[in-house]
Amino acid sequence: MSIRQISVFVENKKGSLVEITDTLAKENIDLRAMSIADTQDFGILRLIVSDTDKALAVLRSKNCIVTETAVVGARLRNEPGALASVIRVLSEGGINVEYMYAFNGATPHHAYVVLRVDDNDKVAELLLNEGIKCITQEQVSEI
Amino acid sequence: MAEKYWQKEIETASREEIKAIQSERLKKTVKHVFENVEPYRKRMEEAGLTPDDIQGVEDLYKLPFTVKQDLRDYYPYGLFAVPTKDVVRLHASSGTTGKQIVVGYTQNDLDVWDDIAARQLCAVGADENDFVHVSYGYGLFTGGFGLHGGATKLGATAIPVSSGNTDRQVTILQDFGSTVLCCTPSYAMYIGETLKKKGVDPKTLSLKAGIFGAEPWTEEMRQQIEELLDIKAYDVYGLTEIMGPCVSYECSQQAGMHVNEDHFIIETINPDTGEVIPNGEVGELVFTCITKECCPFIRYRTRDIGVVNTEPCACGRTFVRMSKPMGRSDDMLIIRGVNVFPSQIETVLLKMGYSPNYKIYVDRVNNTDTLDVHVEMNEDMFSDTIGVIKANEEKLEAELRSLLGISANVKLVAPNSIERSMGKAVRVEDKRKLLGGKK
């Protein structure tokens, strides 16, 4: 079970990020989650959005370099220890996490964590065994 | 498809015939410059030579070289061998590597030029039914007029689009049914990218061949252009000082450029000692004009590094072939004491899957030369993880270090952020020169 994440190449210079966010804003694309990974020269902007296909198309039309990745979106109770339980599951399951980022949901009870791992289905199953549900692409709009 | 020739008899003549023609024409030309160009006469006298000492191509090595600085020293008309009343056209070099130089043509010189350009067009399969789309600049630069003259002589339809206004280039390619495109290879790439961006399928165009030259390019770039434009891409060589484009021309075999040996004699020399070296060995290419009337330069040092191949060619032409120049000593950068040609960097980029849009920055920090290469990111090399991108970048740096012998810092930049050129691409910014320090 996975959700669609868009990654965008961002050159490390003034104005590159605003160009991307403005483009998405103009097209009425809602950002559900985002994170940025950066190096000295460039960054990777990672996004979960309301309309992935449209976002990919408008970014490409603006000559942005983009790629799509399937990631796991786990839904947690928004309370102390929730993330710790996820990490424990992954650790015990021997799962290597490439990167992750967490964010609060629209409702006060839920938080979400996005995981980039090798085997999405295996991770979703491990989490479900501990009572942690992963969301589907359709559920992204409910975040 | 049968090989097409413009002047088959001479293009496929025996080596003995070619040598005899060269010897006779060389003798005549040496006499012509001795009698009509004072600097040539003086130099020959200084070397203790008279025209009688040159009895054939075997005596060529005795003659002094001509270099670009001579054209600057005797600027504008000091090396012309005919009175200006006989000169019907002037062209000048772009002056990107120093003060501009000027050359003149008599009507007969232009006729020769048209013929050799027509040979080039035939060699890529063109005939009177073709539409030759010339996107080289028209003007003092020889590119535009050179191919234009060849197309006209051939009886094809010349389309003098000149360079620039890429949207219009595309419209003309579509509406006028251009079949042969002539421009710089970097501009061909740009036209190809523009087609892609506009969603124009190159298969819907009538284009079948391209004649690209005037700047260094690589085999990898040839493949990219062939894919982007769905054509066969051919190499052409020339320089203003000798004639303009088509001094040598590629044939259907795409394996080196045939030198028009009935008009120019090619030699390879050791650039440091000036000694003639055997064909097949890498050296500086030197040309002697043997039919020109206005500017018949003798043993002109091109600064281009290349190889002459005397193997017979499957196309049937008997003219020797020269390799694509591996570099131009004018373009050559000396970084930390190592000779670096931009074309080497381009080769690595294309091989590794990066775009050929790059810019080289050379600087001097704390008395050490630095080499930075800016490369545009593309979707093939992009990833959602920094580790993958960094690994690709490190691989590229390692490859550059192994080929160049010095290390380069690669910086990945946004697509389309490196300026596209309409003419010769400006690939290098040497900031050391701005400091006024010595190179």
Side-chain angles (χ1 to χ4, degrees), chain A residues 2-106:
Chain A
S2 44
I3 57 175
R4 301 170 71 186
Q5 173 193 264
I6 295 176
S7 303
V8 193
F9 177 78
V10 189
E11 193 185 333
N12 195 358
K13 70 175 186 198
K14 207 174 157 187
S16 3
L17 192 55
V18 74
E19 251 175 64
I20 298 167
T21 47
D22 275 358
T23 300
L24 295 172
K26 254 182 229 146
E27 295 293 330
N28 234 351
I29 291 165
D30 199 8
L31 305 184
R32 299 296 177 189
M34 69 155 278
S35 88
I36 198 158
D38 65 311
T39 71
Q40 207 171 354
D41 291 339
F42 66 90
I44 302 171
L45 176 67
R46 301 177 183 129
L47 302 168
I48 309 286
V49 298
S50 54
D51 187 340
T52 312
D53 289 326
K54 189 174 168 192
L56 283 170
V58 299
L59 289 169
R60 283 200 171 109
S61 78
K62 292 283 176 188
N63 286 315
C64 289
I65 298 293
V66 291
T67 187
E68 186 187 327
T69 319
V71 292
V72 173
R75 189 203 305 251
L76 317 176
R77 293 188 61 78
N78 198 353
E79 61 186 27
L83 184 62
S85 60
V86 172
I87 305 293
R88 196 181 319 114
V89 171
L90 297 172
S91 169
E92 284 167 5
I95 302 296
N96 182 33
V97 180
E98 192 74 51
Y99 56 79
M100 59 184 289
Y101 48 102
F103 55 97
N104 287 327

Side-chain angles (χ1 to χ4, degrees), chain A residues 74-136:
Chain A
R75 189 203 305 251
L76 317 176
R77 293 188 61 78
N78 198 353
E79 61 186 27
L83 184 62
S85 60
V86 172
I87 305 293
R88 196 181 319 114
V89 171
L90 297 172
S91 169
E92 284 167 5
I95 302 296
N96 182 33
V97 180
E98 192 74 51
Y99 56 79
M100 59 184 289
Y101 48 102
F103 55 97
N104 287 327
T107 58
H109 321 295
H110 289 115
Y112 297 84
V113 56
V114 172
L115 298 163
R116 168 74 158 89
V117 291
D118 281 340
D119 189 339
N120 289 347
D121 290 339
K122 183 178 170 193
V123 168
E125 198 188 312
L126 285 174
L127 290 171
L128 193 61
N129 290 343
E130 294 299 316
I132 300 164
K133 284 183 182 160
C134 293
I135 56 169
T136 61

Side-chain angles (χ1 to χ4, degrees), chain B residues 236-251:
Chain B
V236 60
Y237 177 83
L239 61 171
T240 310
E241 298 89 316
I242 300 305
M243 186 62 104
C246 308
V247 168
S248 52
Y249 60 115
E250 207 167 54
C251 64

